[in-house]
Amino acid sequence: MMRIPAKRPNARLRQWLIGTACIGGAALLVASQMPRQAIAEPVRLQSEATSDSAVWNAVVVHKGSVYLAGPRWAGNTGAALTRLRRGVPTPYPDRKWNEWRAGADAARSFVNINALRLGPDGGLWAVDSGSPEFGGGPLPGGAKLVRIDPQTSRVTRVIGFAPDIARPGSYVDDVRFNGRHAYLTDAGNPGIIVLDLETGQARRVLDGDRSTTARPERAIRVDGATLDGPDGRPLLVHADPMELTPDRRWLLFGPLAGPWSRVPTRLLDDPEIAAPELARAVEPFADLPPTGGTAMDAAGNLYFSDLSDDAIRVRRPDGRVETLVSDPRLHWVDAMFIDDADRLWMPAAQIDRVPLFQKGVSKLRRPLTIWSVPLEPAS
C-alpha cells in the first residue's frame, strides 16, 4: 500500500544533467582527512511518498510525475516501475512491461530495474540488470537499457546488451549520458560499459581494473556492522556510483565502498584507445565512504549518502566535505535526484535490511519513504 502526502504546488521539474567540477591539477582530497562542516541552517526532511510493500531505490521527478523503481531481489512483488501522478500510482509505462515471470520474454519486460535516469533527450531511461536474482547471470535479452517517452508513455527504444557485454555474473548498475555516448557501471563483473547511442554498439572498458574493483579491505559498514552478502562473506560491490563533470570532460566513478577515480571521457569515447593506455589515464579523485547513491548540481557539488552514518554529505568543487543532513530515517539512501525546484529527493531504500542480507529475515522498518530537502540553487 502506498501513501502519498498532500503536495505543495507543483513546479516545473527537470533533471540536472551534470557532474562534479574538477579543479585542474588539484591533488587527491581524502574525505576522511577533511573537516565535515555542518551547514549552518538545519534542513527539514519532507516525506514525498511512502510504501508498505515496495522497496524503492531509484526516483526521477519530471513535469508533475514521480517515477519510482526498485530491484526484484529486494522483495518487490508489485510493478517494477511505478508512476505517481496526482497521487495515483500506476504501473509504467503499462502493465505488460511490469508482468515479467519466469519463462517469459526478458527482452520486452522489466526483469530487474536497478536505476532510472532522465536523459538529455527528455526520455526516461531504465537500467535493467536482466537477472531476477542477486548475483545471478542476466537472462537472454534481459540486460538492457529501456527508453520511455514521458509524453506518450510509450517505450521508444530497447538497447539490449550482448552476452559478451553483460556477462554471467554481471550486474549492470547505473547510467550517465554524454552526447552520443552513455556510460554504465557493472557492479558484478568490475568494469564500465561504453554505449554508442547512435549505433547501439557497446564495449567494455577498464575490465578488472583496480579503479572498478571492490577492495576486500574496504568493508561496507551499516548499522555498526560489516554488511555480509548472501554467501556470508563481506559484500563486495564493484563499479557502482558515477557522475560526469559539468564540462563533460571527466567520468567520476568507483566501487560502492570507494575510493573514487576519474578518467577523461574523450578516451572512453574513442574505441581505438588501447586498454593499457586507458588504464594509465585513470586518476584518483576522492576517497569517499561507502555510498548508496549520488546526485550532482550544475555548480559541481556532489551529494552522496554516507551509509555508515545515515547522512547526506556534499563534496564541494574545492574538495571540502560538509554534512547536509544526518537522520536515522535516511537509512541507505540510494540514487538521488535534484528537481527543478532545487529539492534533493532521497529514496531511503534500507537495502541492507532486506531478507537477502539478513539470513532470510526482513529487518525493514516500514513504511519505506522517499524524502526530500531543499538545496541552495546552483549557480
Side-chain angles (χ1 to χ4, degrees), residues 164-202:
D164 63 327
I165 300 298
R167 303 167 177 169
S170 282
Y171 192 89
V172 185
D173 189 90
D174 206 349
V175 65
R176 295 294 182 269
F177 297 94
N178 182 27
R180 67 178 288 173
H181 292 97
Y183 313 122
L184 300 99
T185 44
D186 188 339
N189 288 315
I192 293 172
I193 298 169
V194 179
L195 172 66
D196 187 320
L197 292 165
E198 293 186 7
T199 66
Q201 296 299 306

Side-chain angles (χ1 to χ4, degrees), residues 73-326:
W73 48 259
N76 292 320
T77 56
L81 176 55
T82 297
R83 180 177 72 173
L84 304 180
R85 190 170 180 83
R86 292 186 289 273
V88 179
T90 57
Y92 195 77
D94 55 36
R95 191 170 299 278
K96 185 176 181 180
W97 267 92
N98 287 274
E99 287 182 339
W100 181 86
R101 296 292 183 270
D105 182 7
R108 301 300 300 180
S109 55
F110 295 129
V111 178
N112 186 79
I113 295 180
N114 192 72
L116 298 175
R117 191 74 177 173
L118 194 64
D121 60 355
L124 178 68
W125 294 79
V127 178
D128 190 342
S129 73
S131 174
E133 299 178 359
F134 184 84
L139 299 174
K144 55 191 178 290
L145 188 60
V146 180
R147 183 191 186 276
I148 306 168
D149 184 348
Q151 299 284 11
T152 63
S153 297
R154 293 182 181 275
V155 172
T156 59
R157 194 172 184 191
V158 178
I159 304 174
F161 297 112
D164 63 327
I165 300 298
R167 303 167 177 169
S170 282
Y171 192 89
V172 185
D173 189 90
D174 206 349
V175 65
R176 295 294 182 269
F177 297 94
N178 182 27
R180 67 178 288 173
H181 292 97
Y183 313 122
L184 300 99
T185 44
D186 188 339
N189 288 315
I192 293 172
I193 298 169
V194 179
L195 172 66
D196 187 320
L197 292 165
E198 293 186 7
T199 66
Q201 296 299 306
R203 52 193 172 82
R204 295 183 63 96
V205 299
L206 298 175
D207 266 349
D209 191 77
R210 181 171 173 80
S211 62
T212 59
T213 303
R215 305 179 187 181
E217 68 273 16
R218 296 179 69 98
I220 302 172
R221 292 190 60 81
V222 192
D223 278 342
T226 296
L227 179 62
D228 291 335
D231 59 2
R233 294 181 294 181
L235 182 65
L236 296 177
V237 181
H238 302 298
D240 183 348
M242 64 174 167
E243 294 293 350
L244 280 166
T245 57
D247 58 11
R248 326 307 282 175
R249 292 180 55 203
W250 297 89
L251 180 71
L252 316 174
F253 64 96
L256 183 148
W260 282 52
S261 302
R262 69 177 192 172
V263 65
T265 55
R266 64 177 178 83
L267 300 182
L268 284 178
D269 296 346
D270 187 349
E272 300 302 320
I273 298 297
E277 181 180 352
L278 185 61
R280 288 193 297 269
V282 174
E283 301 176 4
F285 172 65
D287 191 2
L288 303 182
T291 179
T294 63
M296 293 189 170
D297 67 19
N301 295 300
L302 168 61
Y303 298 89
F304 63 93
S305 61
D306 187 335
L307 298 182
S308 297
D309 291 340
D310 293 338
I312 306 299
R313 319 276 189 204
V314 53
R315 183 190 185 276
R316 304 299 185 187
D318 63 5
R320 290 176 298 121
V321 173
E322 302 171 346
T323 298
L324 177 67
V325 58
S326 180

Side-chain angles (χ1 to χ4, degrees), residues 38-57:
I39 291 177
E41 294 295 328
V43 294
R44 181 173 298 177
L45 292 175
Q46 177 167 305
S47 174
E48 299 287 356
T50 64
S51 176
D52 290 321
S53 56
V55 177
W56 295 316
N57 75 330

Side-chain angles (χ1 to χ4, degrees), residues 314-375:
V314 53
R315 183 190 185 276
R316 304 299 185 187
D318 63 5
R320 290 176 298 121
V321 173
E322 302 171 346
T323 298
L324 177 67
V325 58
S326 180
D327 192 298
R329 293 173 294 179
L330 297 176
H331 191 79
W332 198 295
V333 167
D334 214 297
M336 296 180 283
F337 186 89
I338 301 173
D339 71 15
D340 191 49
D342 294 307
R343 293 192 73 86
L344 180 68
W345 291 60
M346 303 165 292
Q350 302 184 45
I351 289 293
D352 60 301
R353 293 173 176 168
V354 303
L356 183 71
F357 302 123
Q358 296 294 335
K359 298 181 172 60
V361 178
S362 176
K363 300 293 181 66
L364 291 169
R365 300 176 187 176
R366 299 193 183 274
L368 277 82
T369 304
I370 307 293
W371 301 97
S372 77
V373 293
L375 300 177

